[in-house]
Amino acid sequence: SLGDIPILINTSFNLRGEPIVESPIDALICFFNCEMDYLLLENFLIAKQDNNVIPKAFLQKNSYELD
């Protein structure tokens, strides 16, 4: 490999049963409602452990209908 940096690339960025992420707000909503640790959004690296309080506007229901 070229480098030894582990990375996961999800080609369909969304939660199961939800539409594909199409905007920065969609990305934040998805990030705060899943088990991702980090979100790289344009020039910002957002780490979940740095955010002790998740704004209510970014929280969604806990369960999703399956496809």
Side-chain angles (χ1 to χ4, degrees):
S1 78
L2 296 175
D4 292 320
I5 301 172
I7 189 166
L8 170 69
I9 297 174
N10 183 350
T11 58
S12 60
F13 185 17
N14 68 315
L15 296 174
R16 186 166 192 170
E18 293 293 311
I20 299 291
V21 168
E22 294 183 346
S23 71
I25 294 297
D26 289 348
L28 288 168
I29 290 169
C30 187
F31 173 67
F32 284 120
N33 285 280
C34 71
E35 295 184 19
M36 280 195 302
D37 296 318
Y38 298 95
L39 174 65
L40 182 62
L41 186 59
E42 296 186 7
N43 294 329
F44 299 94
L45 178 62
I46 303 164
K48 205 169 269 177
Q49 74 262 17
D50 293 342
N51 298 289
N52 295 326
V53 177
I54 299 172
K56 287 183 181 179
F58 293 118
L59 294 177
Q60 291 186 338
K61 58 188 175 185
N62 290 330
S63 62
Y64 300 93
E65 292 182 24
L66 300 180
D67 307 1

